[in-house]
Amino acid sequence: MQFRRRRPVQAAGGVVLRRVDGGPVEVAVIHRPAYDDWTLPKGKLNPGETHEEAALREVKEETGLDVRLGEPAGQVNYRDRKGRPKVVRYWTMQPVGSSDGQFAPNAEVDQLRWIPLAEAGPALTYDHDRQILGSVKAET
C-alpha cells in the first residue's frame, strides 16, 4: 500500500496591533461561532495568491479593517480539524485610518475584540496563536 504525502494547507493571517491615546498596545482577536473559539484573523490562500495578499484579504474580510502589512510575525504548523497538515504565516499589521474599521458580525466571525497585547494570550483558544503573540514586540 502506497501513501501519498498531503501538501500542507497554506494559510496566512495578521497580528493586528493598535495603540489608542497613549494606552497599551492592543491586538485584534476574533470569535468564530462555528468553532466557538477566539483566534487571530487568518485564512487559506486563494489560487495564485501570495501569502502577503491572503493575509491582507483575510484580515479585511474577518475584521473589516484596512491594514498596512508590517514585519513577519512567524509561522505555525499544525493539523487542521480534518487532520490535514496546515501552515499559517503571520505578519504584524496596523490599521490604516479609523482603528475601529467597519466590523460587521457575520456567520464566520461574530465578534471582534481589542485586548491589551500583554493580556491577550489567555484569551486565545489555541497554543499556536499564543506562540505567534509571544514573538511580537509591542512597538506600535
Side-chain angles (χ1 to χ4, degrees):
M1 179 181 238
Q2 185 177 7
F3 291 98
R4 293 181 58 199
R5 283 198 164 193
R6 292 189 199 180
R7 286 188 174 184
V9 174
Q10 296 293 316
V15 180
V16 184
L17 303 169
R18 74 174 185 182
R19 186 186 305 265
V20 178
D21 298 329
V25 171
E26 298 174 319
V27 62
V29 298
I30 58 169
H31 181 260
R32 302 182 304 171
Y35 305 111
D36 191 24
D37 63 3
W38 286 94
T39 188
L40 300 170
K42 65 182 170 300
K44 294 187 281 272
L45 273 65
N46 287 333
E49 193 173 42
T50 68
H51 285 86
E52 293 90 339
E53 291 166 340
L56 291 167
R57 176 184 52 77
E58 285 290 341
V59 167
K60 175 69 174 176
E61 288 176 4
E62 294 186 347
T63 68
L65 296 169
D66 289 313
V67 293
R68 177 178 64 241
L69 197 66
E71 296 296 316
Q75 172 180 303
V76 293
N77 303 288
Y78 59 95
R79 294 214 172 261
D80 68 12
R81 292 180 185 271
K82 296 179 181 176
R84 301 174 299 187
K86 186 170 187 177
V87 175
V88 187
R89 295 183 188 172
Y90 288 91
W91 282 262
T92 59
M93 298 179 178
Q94 290 184 330
V96 177
S98 169
S99 55
D100 291 329
Q102 298 296 318
F103 176 73
N106 58 60
E108 186 177 356
V109 177
D110 65 349
Q111 293 181 59
L112 167 69
R113 288 189 186 159
W114 289 98
I115 301 175
L117 183 60
E119 301 168 17
L124 294 167
T125 302
Y126 305 108
D127 287 338
H128 55 260
D129 285 341
R130 287 188 282 278
Q131 175 187 334
I132 291 297
L133 278 191
S135 71
V136 172
K137 293 180 178 65
E139 298 175 1
T140 300

